Structures are given as structure tokens and as C-alpha cells.
Amino acid sequence: WILHGRDESLRRNAAALLCRTLDLDLLTLDLTALPRRQEDLAAGLNDALLRQRIIDAGLQLVGIDKFHDGEGRLAPEVLATLRVLRQARRPVFIDCETSGPIVEVLRDTHVISIRVPELDREGRTVAWHRALATRRMTASPEAAEVVADGFALTADQIRRAAQAVADEHAGQDAAEVSAAQLAAAARACSDQSIARVAQRLDLPFEWNDLVLPPVTIRRLRDIVHAIRDRHMVFGEWGFSRRTGGFGLRILFAGPSGTGKTMAAATIARELGVDIYRIDISQTVSKYIGETEKNLDKIFHAATYSNAILFFDEADALFGKRSDVKDAHDRYSNIETAYLLQKIEEYQGVVFLASNLSRNIDSAFSRRLNFVVDFPLPDKQDRERLWRLMLASGAPVAADVDFAFLATQFTLTGGDIRNVTLDAAFLAAQSSERSVTMKNLIVALGRQLAKQGRAPSSAEFKHHHELLIEE
């Protein structure tokens, strides 16, 4: 029997239940407790099979997942050892996360492969209540449901998270735990392997930091509710049968510097989850098959991280497939098709940010649940951005004309951030030690020069002479 699935404790419970049904005792052999050499593993397994026959019991093999190599393949010494199981005369239960390699090794043996499903939303809610009650704590039904919705944890992870909360409340009797405390513990107990293939974004932003049109803000808040309610809509209401799962795919489209990354981080903070940015340069490879391997690692790690994935500059990875003219075109199209398959299978939340949304392949576009446009800021929003960027504590001189800056220069929020930072450094080395209009004008001239635009008197008007002096 191959018992496979994500939740280790549920797999082991399934083996015990099957043994009780067959009226057998259960022996457990942990392969990680044996020396790693093939002959030692085989000897240990042979001894366990002999003892199994003597006492007429079932045998559960655990620890096989610890023998995977960097590419996700089972180590050769384990594959060779498993062939010993062909001699088994009593039920053997192989405990593992994925069954494919093991089924292949035992293809000449009678094998029953059973996928042990992980806890659903209701099961996680019950597990939270039980884990907290065992540690003399309580949580409101709403708090438990919120964390069960947001974090697809295993039974063991829930117990570890509850213990972490209990440690924080040591000495308190019957403490009631808030949803925020549960979420923090759940986030800490989530699988962190995603950090090896992606960069975790800081979450310093709040809704007031976003300078966007009201319709865009409303759409972003709709996305927060959709992520929170997806288990109800997809699960309880049955929409997953039509959509193929619980995943949400969201595109942020707009020019660079309009707040797409900030908006994604704000949503993550609101939900109390981590968000990881995928480095496209580290994902795409010129070597055949490497891009697919990198994508497989990313989505596999993300499945257990309970985090949001953020693909910046997504058009580079999700670009339109081209007509096949040579082998390079054919392979590029295979990469795109593979990515389409992975993102459709993924049951989590994915944000895509693109400066050129029209370049996104139509097959991806059809599978997007939300598309949010991030327009260039208008005059009113630009003035707000100028004031917001200089409101972090830097002293600002009285001669700074925010209305002039907002009216004369059509800049994005990212451009304004760069200008104010440059101006702050200029101010720090000046005798005034405050950001002046001259500092901002000089920094503006540098920013326009970076963009290949020559500062003109038509734009800078009477302030143009400050550039000449510089």
C-alpha cells in the first residue's frame, strides 16, 4: 500500500486504521534511523519484514521523503532497497508525499496507491479548536474560521502553531486567542522553503499609502474579500467544479512606478500572509528543461508556504506564443504551455504585474480572475504623492511649491520617490539641512536626464535658472 499526501499525521493515521480493519498490529520502520548505505538499508528492511511475518503485523515505512535529491528524485540507494518489498507476505504501508517514483520501482508488485486528502477548511477549523482546547485556550468560531481559510496547514502544523501561542500565554488560564495571534502563529509554522527560490517582500504599506483612483482602490479591496472568501465560493458553493480548483490569478497592469508592487504588499499585509516576488532572471534559463525545473520548484514550494506569489515584469514569462519558425520558437512555446499548466494547477493566489499587459498570452488572459489597471497619476494625485513622499520626517523648506511640481511634471509615483530621495541627500549635505525647491529642481533634472529627456525651460519655467546654476 502506498499512502501518499501532504499531511504526514493523516497518512500515519490511515495506516493505523487499515491495520485495525485487517485486525493486525502495526510495526513502524523509520528509514532515516538506519545508516544511509544501500546494504544497511536493505538489511534493516529485511529484518523488519522477518519480524512482521513472525508477529503477523502490518509494516509502515516512514522517512522516505528525506531521501530525495535536489531535483526531487529518490536517492538510488532507497530505490534499490524498496525492491526488497517484493518479498513481503504481509501488508506494507509506504508513507510518502508523492507516489510516482515508488510506483515505478514496484511496478511488478501488487500495489494499491491511496491518496490521503489533507484537511479541508472545516477540518482545519476543528483541528484548531482541539489544539487550543488541549492547551487550555479558546478562540471564537470566527477567529478559527478566518485562520482556517487563510492557512492550509497540516494537523501537525496546527498543533505546533497552537503550542507557539500557548507558550506566549504561559501562566494564563483559559486565554482567548485573537484571529491576528492565530494568523501570526500559522504564518510562522508554514513551510518556509519558498524563501530559497523567491524573495519575501517587506510589508510596510497600508491603504493610506496607496495613491490611486477610488475605483482602483475598490477593486483592490474586492480582491481582499475574494481571497478571504474563496473557500466558501469554491468549496461550499461548488464553483471549484467549474473553475478547476481554488486558485486565484490576478493581473496588475500599468506603467512602471504606478504602485503595483505596493498594492500587492498592502493586500498581503491586510490578509496577514507573506508575499514572495519571483525573480524572472533566475527562473528563465537558456538551457532546455531548466526553466520548467525552476518553475516546478517554485510552485511546489509555494503550495506549502501559504503565501502569495508575485510575478513582476510578468510579460517576460507569460508572453504570447509565436509562430514556430525554428527550434527556439518551438521550445519557447513549450515553456509557455508548461507555465500555463502549472499556474492552472496551483491552488493558491498569484499576482502578475505587467507594464505591457497586451503582450500577455491570450491563454493566460482567459484564466485571469481579476485585472486591475494602474493608471498614471493625475495632477491631484501627483501633488498628494509629492507631499506624501516628503512627509516621512525630513524638514521641508517653505519655498517648496507642490502645486507647481504636480502641474508641470507628469511623473509616476516611482519617479517622484526617486526625485524626493535624491533631493533629501542633497539637503543632507547642505547647510540648510532641509529639502528646498532648488534641491527638488536639481533632482528633477537628473531624473529626466536618466529617462533621456533634456530639462527644458518650458517645463521648469522660472526655476530653470536653478539648473543652470547647478
Side-chain angles (χ1 to χ4, degrees):
W1 304 65
I2 301 177
L3 303 177
H4 61 98
R6 178 189 170 200
D7 198 316
E8 181 179 357
S9 64
L10 294 184
R11 298 195 307 259
R12 298 189 181 186
N13 289 342
L17 178 60
L18 286 168
C19 277
R20 285 198 297 271
T21 303
L22 298 170
D23 197 23
L24 295 172
D25 293 328
L26 180 61
L27 296 176
T28 299
L29 174 62
D30 186 351
L31 293 178
T32 61
L34 301 174
R36 189 156 182 140
R37 293 186 307 170
Q38 180 179 328
E39 54 268 30
D40 293 320
L41 290 171
L45 184 52
N46 274 317
D47 289 345
L49 291 173
L50 177 59
R51 185 179 178 191
Q52 177 194 25
R53 287 197 296 270
I54 292 173
I55 67 173
D56 194 24
L59 174 63
Q60 183 178 36
L61 298 183
V62 302
I64 291 177
D65 292 324
K66 299 295 190 295
F67 289 85
H68 282 92
D69 62 16
E71 301 297 335
R73 298 183 296 254
L74 275 175
E77 61 268 23
V78 175
L79 292 174
T81 300
L82 289 177
R83 296 189 180 96
V84 176
L85 294 177
R86 296 170 180 172
Q87 306 170 17
R89 297 295 179 265
R90 297 290 186 275
V92 176
F93 305 98
I94 302 176
D95 179 280
C96 58
E97 186 178 313
T98 56
S99 62
I102 300 173
V103 171
E104 178 63 22
V105 172
L106 300 176
R107 61 183 180 275
D108 298 331
T109 309
H110 180 60
V111 173
I112 299 175
S113 181
I114 300 176
R115 181 183 178 276
V116 180
E118 59 192 77
L119 294 173
D120 58 12
R121 173 176 175 266
E122 183 178 353
R124 291 194 296 271
T125 303
V126 172
W128 273 109
H129 283 302
R130 287 178 178 171
L132 292 171
T134 300
R135 293 157 180 81
R136 302 183 64 187
M137 294 183 297
T138 61
S140 68
E142 294 77 16
E145 288 173 2
V146 165
V147 74
D149 267 340
F151 296 88
L153 301 182
T154 66
D156 283 338
Q157 287 174 321
I158 290 174
R159 284 191 287 269
R160 291 201 303 271
Q163 185 59 51
V165 176
D167 292 341
E168 293 181 0
H169 290 79
Q172 302 180 26
D173 292 331
E176 180 165 342
V177 185
S178 68
Q181 290 172 315
L182 292 179
R187 186 167 58 250
C189 288
S190 296
D191 191 328
Q192 302 299 316
S193 60
I194 182 67
R196 294 197 294 266
V197 292
Q199 174 195 5
R200 186 171 67 87
L201 296 180
D202 292 330
L203 306 178
F205 307 114
E206 299 179 349
W207 291 103
N208 290 337
D209 295 317
L210 296 178
V211 181
L212 294 166
V215 64
T216 304
I217 295 292
R218 285 197 299 272
R219 196 60 172 152
L220 295 177
R221 290 190 179 275
D222 287 342
I223 290 170
V224 171
H225 289 292
I227 295 172
R228 282 177 173 159
D229 298 334
R230 64 195 178 105
H231 289 282
M232 176 186 294
V233 173
F234 289 132
E236 296 178 17
W237 294 357
F239 275 76
S240 64
R241 295 193 298 271
R242 301 178 181 88
T243 60
F246 287 66
L248 284 176
R249 295 163 288 275
I250 301 148
L251 175 65
F252 288 170
S256 178
T258 50
K260 299 185 292 296
T261 303
M262 183 184 292
T266 301
I267 289 174
R269 175 170 177 162
E270 178 79 5
L271 294 168
V273 300
D274 290 326
I275 180 168
Y276 285 85
R277 176 164 51 198
I278 308 304
D279 187 345
I280 301 297
S281 66
Q282 297 297 317
T283 303
V284 177
S285 173
K286 64 180 180 180
Y287 298 106
I288 293 177
E290 286 301 311
T291 299
E292 287 87 340
K293 288 181 181 179
N294 293 336
L295 290 169
D296 196 56
K297 289 178 183 177
I298 289 170
F299 282 103
H300 183 271
T303 298
Y304 303 139
S305 69
N306 294 293
I308 293 173
L309 289 184
F310 181 71
F311 286 88
D312 203 1
E313 307 292 344
D315 43 285
L317 192 57
F318 297 78
K320 293 180 179 178
R321 283 168 283 192
S322 58
D323 295 332
V324 177
K325 298 177 181 178
D326 54 29
H328 181 270
D329 291 336
R330 184 180 301 107
Y331 178 61
S332 295
N333 288 347
I334 291 173
E335 282 185 350
T336 302
Y338 183 79
L339 179 56
L340 176 61
Q341 172 192 331
K342 298 303 292 185
I343 202 170
E344 191 166 26
E345 292 173 352
Y346 183 57
Q347 300 298 300
V349 179
V350 178
F351 285 102
L352 314 174
S354 174
N355 303 337
L356 301 168
S357 60
R358 63 181 179 275
N359 288 349
I360 298 290
D361 190 278
S362 60
F364 287 110
S365 300
R366 287 195 300 271
R367 289 162 173 80
L368 294 172
N369 302 102
F370 295 89
V371 176
V372 183
D373 290 317
F374 284 71
L376 291 169
D378 59 18
K379 175 185 172 182
Q380 181 179 356
D381 282 342
R382 289 197 297 273
E383 181 170 349
R384 184 181 165 196
L385 282 165
W386 280 109
R387 294 182 181 277
L388 189 64
M389 295 296 180
L390 289 172
S392 58
V396 180
D399 68 338
V400 173
D401 189 344
F402 291 106
F404 174 85
L405 295 171
T407 302
Q408 292 300 116
F409 302 97
T410 306
L411 302 176
T412 66
D415 292 330
I416 294 172
R417 179 194 60 223
N418 291 338
V419 171
T420 54
L421 179 61
D422 193 7
F425 282 122
L426 291 172
Q429 60 182 293
S430 69
S431 57
E432 293 89 351
R433 292 298 177 92
S434 62
V435 180
T436 64
M437 192 64 175
K438 179 178 180 179
N439 297 146
L440 291 168
I441 292 297
V442 171
L444 262 169
R446 294 175 178 177
Q447 182 67 19
L448 295 182
K450 284 196 301 183
Q451 298 173 353
R453 296 165 54 188
S456 67
S457 57
E459 282 184 301
F460 285 84
K461 295 189 179 299
H462 57 284
H463 293 294
H464 191 258
E465 61 186 25
L466 297 176
L467 291 176
I468 297 175
E469 294 175 7
E470 182 66 17

